[in-house]
C-alpha cells in the first residue's frame, strides 16, 4: 500500500521539484501540492495525506503555526518541516508543535525516502547536520547568546501576538491598548531585535528563543 504524501511550499519551482523527486520513489503517492496554508487547509477538508512536507515561510500563515493548527484538526497527520533555515530554534519550534521531522530543501532523493519511511513508522527524522547542531546547543556550544535583546513585559505580549499573526487592531483589542501604542511597541521590538519588518521580528525572536 502506497504512502500518501502532500507538499506545501510557496516557491512553485521548489514545489514542482520536490513533487518530481517524490514521484520517482517506490510506494509513494503524491496526493496534493499547495502554495499556501489556506490551500492546504482547503485540500485537507477533502482528503488528508499520511505525510505532509511543510515549508516554514508561507505567504499567509507560517509553517510553525500551521503545524499546530493542522495537528489539532488531524492528529494522525505526520508533518516534516521542509525549509532553508538551519537555525536550531526553527527545528525545535516545529518539533514542539508536533512535527515528526525536519529536512533542508537541498535533501537528496534517497534522504527524502528515508525521512518518509522513518516518519511513516512513527519515528522522528532529523538530518545528521541538524542532530549535531541540536546536540552542540544542548552542550552549550552555541554563540547565539552573544546578543540577547531585553524586552519589557508588554513588548513580549505584543511579540507573541505578532507571532500569532494578529493584526495591529486585533493586538490592540486583545491587550486593551490603543493602535498607536501597539505600533510604538512594534517599533521598539524592531529596534531592539534589529529587524526590518514583522517577518524579521519572528525570525530573530525564534533565533534568540524569545518565543
Amino acid at each position: 500500500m502506497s504512502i500518501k504524501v502532500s507538499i506545501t511550499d510557496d516557491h512553485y519551482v521548489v514545489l514542482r521539484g520536490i513533487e518530481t523527486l517524490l514521484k520517482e520513489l517506490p510506494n509513494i503517492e503524491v496526493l496534493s501540492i499547495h502554495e499556501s496554508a489556506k490551500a492546504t487547509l482547503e485540500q485537507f477538508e477533502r482528503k488528508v495525506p499520511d505525510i505532509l512536507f511543510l515549508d516554514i515561510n508561507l505567504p499567509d500563515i507560517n509553517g510553525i503555526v500551521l503545524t499546530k493548527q493542522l495537528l489539532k484538526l488531524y492528529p494522525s497527520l505526520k508533518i516534516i518541516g521542509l525549509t532553508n533555515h538551519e537555525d536550531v530554534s526553527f527545528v525545535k519550534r516545529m518539533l514542539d508543535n508536533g512535527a515528526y521531522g525536519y529536512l533542508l530543501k537541498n535533501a537528496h532523493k534517497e534522504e527524502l525516502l528515508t525521512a518518509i519511511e522513518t516518519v511513516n513508522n512513527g519515528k522522528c527524522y532529523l538530518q545528521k547536520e541538524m542532530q549535531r547542531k541540536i546536540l552542540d546547543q544542548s552542550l552549550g556550544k552555541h554563540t547565539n547568546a552573544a546578543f540577547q535583546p531585553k524586552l519589557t513585559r508588554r513588548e513580549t505580549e505584543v511579540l507573541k501576538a505578532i507571532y500569532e499573526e494578529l493584526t495591529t487592531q486585533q493586538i490592540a483589542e486583545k491587550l486593551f491598548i490603543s493602535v498607536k501604542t501597539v505600533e510604538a511597541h512594534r517599533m521598539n521590538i524592531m529596534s531592539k531585535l534589529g529587524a526590518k519588518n514583522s517577518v524579521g521580528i519572528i525570525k530573530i525572536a525564534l533565533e534568540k528563543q524569545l518565543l
Side-chain angles (χ1 to χ4, degrees):
M1 192 171 180
S2 63
I3 302 170
K4 295 176 176 58
V5 178
S6 292
I7 317 156
T8 298
D9 194 296
D10 66 333
H11 292 93
Y12 184 78
V13 174
V14 173
L15 191 63
R16 286 298 184 182
I18 297 169
E19 180 189 25
T20 300
L21 285 176
L22 292 180
K23 282 183 174 180
E24 295 175 356
L25 298 175
N27 304 318
I28 305 297
E29 176 190 347
V30 179
L31 192 65
S32 58
I33 60 173
H34 332 96
E35 294 185 69
S36 68
K38 181 174 181 290
T40 305
L41 290 165
E42 289 174 351
Q43 168 63 29
F44 282 19
E45 288 177 2
R46 297 186 289 273
K47 202 163 186 180
V48 183
D50 300 308
I51 295 172
L52 171 67
F53 281 102
L54 177 61
D55 185 18
I56 283 184
N57 289 326
L58 298 173
D60 42 5
I61 303 173
N62 75 65
I64 299 172
V65 173
L66 182 59
T67 293
K68 194 170 185 177
Q69 291 183 3
L70 285 172
L71 292 177
K72 278 186 179 179
L73 296 169
Y74 313 103
S76 63
L77 175 67
K78 293 180 174 64
I79 295 174
I80 299 175
L82 187 66
T83 180
N84 288 321
H85 294 293
E86 297 186 46
D87 301 300
V88 170
S89 55
F90 286 103
V91 184
K92 286 185 173 179
R93 293 297 294 184
M94 286 291 282
L95 297 178
D96 286 346
N97 280 2
Y100 262 76
Y102 197 95
L103 274 178
L104 296 177
K105 291 183 182 180
N106 61 3
H108 297 295
K109 181 169 63 176
E110 292 76 15
E111 189 153 36
L112 286 171
L113 178 59
T114 301
I116 290 171
E117 291 177 338
T118 301
V119 167
N120 192 56
N121 288 325
K123 298 177 182 178
C124 289
Y125 182 83
L126 286 175
Q127 286 172 299
K128 289 183 179 179
E129 177 64 15
M130 299 313 302
Q131 291 180 28
R132 183 188 64 76
K133 288 190 175 188
I134 289 175
L135 178 60
D136 284 350
Q137 188 183 75
S138 67
L139 295 174
K141 295 179 181 178
H142 59 94
T143 58
N144 207 32
F147 160 62
Q148 196 65 24
K150 300 290 185 183
L151 301 183
T152 65
R153 178 183 61 82
R154 183 62 88 186
E155 286 168 354
T156 299
E157 290 174 346
V158 172
L159 173 62
K160 288 178 179 177
I162 293 172
Y163 178 69
E164 292 169 3
E165 302 193 342
L166 300 182
T167 64
T168 300
Q169 183 62 46
Q170 289 171 328
I171 295 173
E173 292 171 0
K174 180 178 181 178
L175 301 180
F176 303 103
I177 55 179
S178 70
V179 169
K180 280 190 174 183
T181 302
V182 174
E183 288 295 348
H185 285 310
R186 187 193 299 269
M187 293 301 294
N188 287 338
I189 294 168
M190 287 173 62
S191 177
K192 288 182 178 182
L193 270 58
K196 296 180 180 178
N197 50 41
S198 294
V199 174
I201 287 174
I202 298 305
K203 182 179 185 299
I204 296 170
L206 287 170
E207 289 172 353
K208 303 298 179 184
Q209 299 181 39
L210 297 174
L211 289 166

